[in-house]
Amino acid sequence: MQNDPRMREVGPCRWWAVAPVCGGGACVPEPLLEYIRPAALDDALAVAREHKMSYFTLIRVFPALAEAMPVPEV
């Protein structure tokens, strides 16, 4: 359960599914996000190398990842 009061205070808004570079994922309300730049293949490659299971999700978003990195043994 989310106890951060900022989450309750945003009201109706768009929520984004985000994949932090440190791995994993989260759903975050738009007012609490800071846009930096679009994700790039290099970002996906770095995450997939560090967090091997993320490869299977990232390959759907970045099909070119298959050419940059073989399927990891997990």
Side-chain angles (χ1 to χ4, degrees):
M1 174 168 275
Q2 180 55 251
N3 293 321
D4 187 331
R6 295 174 300 165
M7 298 295 252
R8 292 189 300 270
E9 294 168 359
V10 294
C13 65
R14 183 182 311 187
W15 284 65
W16 290 82
V18 297
V21 174
C22 61
C27 290
V28 182
E30 191 171 61
L32 299 181
L33 290 175
E34 178 184 349
Y35 179 81
I36 298 172
R37 62 176 170 75
L41 177 59
D42 288 341
D43 299 320
L45 188 56
V47 172
R49 285 181 176 151
E50 184 71 25
H51 306 279
K52 300 206 181 315
M53 288 303 294
S54 68
Y55 177 89
F56 302 101
T57 299
L58 291 169
I59 198 110
R60 290 184 271 157
V61 180
F62 297 94
L65 183 59
E67 296 173 22
M69 177 182 174
V71 176
E73 292 185 27
V74 287

